[in-house]
Amino acid sequence: MSINIKKVSGNKSVTLVTGFEGFMIEPDYFAELMRKKAQASTSIGNDITGKLVQVLIQGNQTKHVESILTGSFCIDKKYITGLENAKTTKKGKKK
């Protein structure tokens, strides 16, 4: 599985997830789970090469993708690339 973050116009970003074929995951089912978990718009299409199916999710949803893949589908983290793209949260008071 591959997770990529792509910047779109200005400050907006999308999460691209590919590699469903190797794990026998239905992209439609995954997109529906992500739509409910992340409360973000999703779309399904082909990647740049046209060979693989990719799910596009609005915003940086790396943590939600990780939780669904490791929780619902029981995929080990070593098979998922791109987890380092997750947002880091800063804790503390705003000044």
Side-chain angles (χ1 to χ4, degrees):
M1 297 290 292
S2 174
I3 304 169
N4 295 314
I5 305 298
K6 181 179 178 186
K7 286 282 186 189
V8 199
S9 65
N11 197 20
K12 307 219 184 284
S13 61
V14 293
T15 304
L16 303 170
V17 185
T18 56
F20 299 99
E21 295 81 5
F23 294 96
M24 304 298 281
I25 296 173
E26 197 63 41
D28 296 324
Y29 180 62
F30 176 78
E32 186 64 31
L33 285 176
M34 282 305 303
R35 194 174 295 131
K36 291 177 182 174
K37 172 102 176 167
Q39 295 182 355
S41 177
T42 61
S43 66
I44 302 169
N46 291 335
D47 67 343
I48 292 176
T49 63
K51 296 177 183 176
L52 300 174
V53 176
Q54 83 176 3
V55 174
L56 182 141
I57 309 156
Q58 199 174 39
N60 186 345
Q61 306 295 343
T62 308
K63 292 204 183 258
H64 292 298
V65 171
E66 176 188 0
S67 69
I68 286 181
L69 290 177
T70 57
S72 299
F73 295 109
C74 299
I75 296 175
D76 197 357
K77 285 184 183 182
K78 67 181 178 182
Y79 299 117
I80 304 171
T81 60
L83 292 178
E84 64 277 357
N85 295 331
K87 278 194 242 176
T88 56
T89 56
K90 296 180 183 177
K91 294 188 178 183
K93 293 183 180 179
K94 291 184 179 178
K95 294 183 179 180

